[in-house]
Amino acid sequence: MTSRNYGSSSAAVPKKLVVLVSGSGSNLQALLDACREPEYGAAVVAVGADRDGTLGLERAAAAGVPTFVRKVRDYSDREQWDADLTETVASFEPDLVVSAGFLKLCGPRFLSAFPGRYINTHNSLLPAFPGMNGPGEALAAGVKLAGATLFICDSGVDTGPIIAQTAVPVEDDDTVDTLTERIKEAERGQLVTAVGRMVRDGWAVDGRRVRLG
Ligand code: GRF
């Protein structure tokens, strides 16, 4: 596959992030906090969700960031939802779209609107344990290292090219909750670091391999 380069060197203007959330939004909060520093090089220009009433949307509102909600059930089919979500996100002209606990798979229209620029953070060391229950499956499998993966979304479930990974130990007395929290702490740090590098230094995708800077 041909190598493609993303990002530009104009560091003076903060790069625009649109963040998609479904839940508590702690990853979103980490990005909002990082974006307060001008040196970080990015601004969250909008937060989108697939449901109302989440802490993630509250965090965005508290930070003064515009929000929008696009629920699948409000559309005649998934294609219409995908088209409207695409149009809405595109209206903010994002440099990077970040799925941070967004519990929906975006469709072909969305993926082709933001090629190489739609990224997702997942709470397992992919390709192990894709899907909704990464920490639980890691615990059940008895692995000694768990973690989080940041990747570029493709049409599969947690299958895209990997940008960054971070590992945490699995302790003997872990429950799904304790392991999930340990992963999330590492995940937030990784997200902030990797997104910062992407917006400041750009990135290149060569087949399955992603290079920052
Ligand atoms: C993250 O651990 C992500 O990997 C998973 O859902 C969690 C979202 O957490 N898909 P939050 O909403 O950012 O707190």
Side-chain angles (χ1 to χ4, degrees), residues 68-130:
F68 58 88
V69 176
R70 297 291 181 274
K71 300 177 201 169
V72 173
R73 69 163 182 268
D74 290 344
Y75 297 82
S76 50
D77 57 29
R78 191 109 183 173
E79 218 173 289
Q80 298 300 318
W81 172 81
D82 191 54
D84 191 21
L85 182 69
T86 304
E87 199 179 307
T88 307
V89 172
S91 71
F92 293 98
E93 302 183 336
D95 295 290
L96 199 55
V97 184
V98 183
S99 160
F102 186 55
L103 300 176
K104 289 287 178 297
L105 270 188
C106 291
R109 186 129 166 198
F110 192 94
L111 294 174
S112 60
F114 310 106
R117 293 187 293 126
Y118 177 41
I119 67 176
N120 183 36
T121 179
H122 176 69
N123 52 9
S124 81
L125 291 174
L126 294 170
F129 316 127

Side-chain angles (χ1 to χ4, degrees), residues 21-28 59 100-103 120-124 131 148 180 183-184 187-188:
V21 296
S22 295
S24 69
S26 65
N27 283 285
L28 164 66
R59 291 179 194 270
F102 186 55
L103 300 176
N120 183 36
T121 179
H122 176 69
N123 52 9
S124 81
T180 298
I183 293 169
K184 281 183 77 166
E187 184 177 26
R188 290 190 287 269

